[in-house]
Amino acid sequence: VHKLTVTNLGETFDAAEDETMLDALLRNGVRVRYGCRRGKCSSCKHLVVDGDYDNSAASAYALLEDEREAGMTLLCQSYPTSDCTVELLIAPGDEDGVRLPTPQRHDGRITEVIEESTQLLSIRLALSTPLRFLPGQYLELGSRGAEETRSYSIASAPMFVRRPQLLVHRRAGGWLSPATGAEAVDVRGPFGAMYLRPSGRRAVLVAWTEGVAPMASIARYLGMRPWSAPVTLLHGAAEAEELAYSAEFAAIAARTSGFEYLPVAGTERVMTLALNEAIAPGEDVDVYVAGPVGFCDRTLFILEARGIEPTHIYLERFYPAGAAT
Ligand SMILES: Cc1cc2nc3c(=O)[nH]c(=O)nc-3n(C[C@H](O)[C@H](O)[C@H](O)COP(=O)(O)OP(=O)(O)OC[C@H]3O[C@@H](n4cnc5c(N)ncnc54)[C@H](O)[C@@H]3O)c2cc1C
Ligand code: FES
């Protein structure tokens, strides 16, 4: 066990050698900027001012050579090999007043698999211990005892602490297909920072196909609890049948004042037109985007070109598991 000191906090935590610096900080309830936990998004890039660590798994793409030489690292890919001192590059304070739940390990079983479309499966888990999460966060799942994991956003509302639902894109050769009933899984979480912020600004949720999973959690939450600002869900997919939970979202919109549902079946270009209609140029709005990496990157580009404040844009890019490139 090594000591991990965070200069901005003036606090020191224990970190095991087989634990990444990110996991050690999250385990200790530290609010730290991060995203994918797979060495792909670069969100967890912070400065190590002292100490030795192994970050050989961080790719040259996500952590540039000169950044590495300057002491920057990806905390999700860094294992301490001595006591270390870290400076978090965004002040770690509780800037939006939301306390992030500490990730836990849960024993789970897959209890139900529903085909929403030829591509999308709803999967229900039964957990041995309650899962506290914020709508929009994600889980990591693996077969019981296996090291390899997959990330899935939680689609159900946070009130259902023992039976979370996932929305999974079925992939050839993928881990969950063919999904078997009653399979034992290890579940870790919740993770992620794409949760609905109580900023008082209008929020627009933008999702493509399986990217609607975290938005489903948010929409279902809004269907049960009043929210302080209007929320629009812009939900796109190539075919109408791939707009999972569409009827349910429409029903929530019909009974929930301040919640608007805009389904779009068609090309991404049609989605862009709908996005430009949903958000005025330079509007003071929070935008949440989730789905395939290319879709998120293109949407970010459009939003920035539209003059949306970059710090009010929250992305959950659905990176594939596997080696970072
Ligand atoms: C934070 C986060 C949240 C996520 N949430 C969800 C979610 O809610 N629902 C969901 O379906 N996925 C989600 N993903 C993506 C999912 O974790 C990966 O796609 C995962 O690799 C799928 O595992 P698999 O076993 O089905 O396929 P794999 O065994 O990983 O891959 C099978 C084949 O499909 C290809 N492939 C796999 N995933 C992708 C992809 N995303 N894009 C392009 N090609 C791919 C692989 O290259 C391979 O050829 C999320 C990812 C992240 C990082
Ligand atoms: S959280 Fe470390 S690279 Fe994405």
Side-chain angles (χ1 to χ4, degrees):
V1 175
H2 299 294
K3 299 285 178 209
L4 188 57
T5 301
V6 181
T7 54
N8 335 39
L9 288 178
E11 283 186 64
T12 297
F13 307 98
D14 283 344
E17 273 208 2
D18 62 352
E19 183 179 40
T20 65
M21 292 188 191
L22 178 64
D23 276 345
L25 293 177
L26 293 178
R27 181 170 53 74
N28 284 288
V30 176
R31 228 190 127 95
V32 46
R33 187 193 62 194
Y34 76 100
C36 67
R37 295 172 34 82
R38 294 189 177 276
K40 300 190 178 191
C41 71
S42 301
S43 308
C44 66
K45 199 178 288 174
H46 296 276
L47 190 65
V48 183
V49 289
D50 193 27
D52 299 319
Y53 50 97
D54 176 4
N55 68 352
S56 50
S59 75
Y61 160 77
L63 182 66
L64 304 178
E65 209 41 58
D66 51 352
E67 292 176 326
R68 205 181 290 253
E69 277 165 22
M72 311 269 268
T73 195
L74 302 180
L75 295 185
C76 74
Q77 302 297 308
S78 300
Y79 296 88
T81 54
S82 76
D83 291 353
C84 286
T85 304
V86 179
E87 184 180 328
L88 300 180
L89 290 186
I90 280 193
D94 212 6
E95 81 281 352
D96 57 16
V98 176
R99 214 176 134 257
L100 295 186
T102 307
Q104 312 272 355
R105 194 176 279 280
H106 305 265
D107 285 344
R109 272 180 318 114
I110 296 174
T111 56
E112 188 182 67
V113 179
I114 297 172
E115 299 207 6
E116 303 290 347
S117 72
T118 48
Q119 284 194 27
L120 298 175
L121 302 171
S122 274
I123 290 185
R124 180 74 65 181
L125 300 175
L127 301 182
S128 56
T129 36
L131 169 75
R132 311 274 167 211
F133 64 98
L134 298 174
Q137 290 195 291
Y138 71 89
L139 297 175
E140 288 175 0
L141 260 75
S143 296
R144 179 69 41 85
E147 256 190 35
E148 211 186 333
T149 62
R150 298 285 186 264
S151 306
Y152 292 107
S153 299
I154 308 164
S156 44
M159 296 78 172
F160 304 111
V161 291
R162 281 186 192 263
R163 290 178 50 75
Q165 186 191 41
L166 313 174
L167 180 69
V168 174
H169 185 130
R170 193 201 307 243
R171 298 190 185 277
W175 172 62
L176 278 171
S177 48
T180 49
E183 191 186 333
V185 284
D186 287 335
V187 178
R188 288 190 65 199
F191 297 111
M194 208 211 57
Y195 55 87
L196 190 62
R197 262 81 176 168
S199 68
R201 282 183 290 274
R202 173 177 176 243
V204 179
L205 320 177
V206 187
W208 187 258
T209 318
E210 68 270 27
V212 85
M215 311 314 188
S217 179
I218 294 172
R220 287 163 166 169
Y221 175 80
L222 296 174
M224 297 180 200
R225 295 272 195 280
W227 189 249
S228 51
V231 179
T232 297
L233 170 54
L234 181 59
H235 179 191
E239 309 284 341
E241 65 141 26
E242 286 155 21
L243 293 170
Y245 316 134
S246 190
E248 185 185 344
F249 296 145
I252 294 173
R255 65 165 199 269
T256 310
S257 80
F259 179 69
E260 179 188 29
Y261 177 54
L262 303 175
V264 175
T267 59
E268 224 184 275
R269 186 169 153 61
V270 182
M271 183 71 168
T272 303
L273 295 174
L275 180 65
N276 284 341
E277 254 182 51
I279 302 178
E283 187 178 340
D284 188 23
V285 65
D286 288 343
V287 190
Y288 299 81
V289 186
V293 180
F295 172 78
C296 289
D297 288 343
R298 288 186 289 274
T299 305
L300 175 64
F301 180 81
I302 293 163
L303 292 169
E304 290 190 339
R306 226 167 156 64
I308 306 308
E309 165 60 43
T311 58
H312 296 168
I313 303 172
Y314 304 96
L315 298 181
E316 195 70 279
R317 295 180 177 92
F318 284 6
Y319 291 98
T325 46

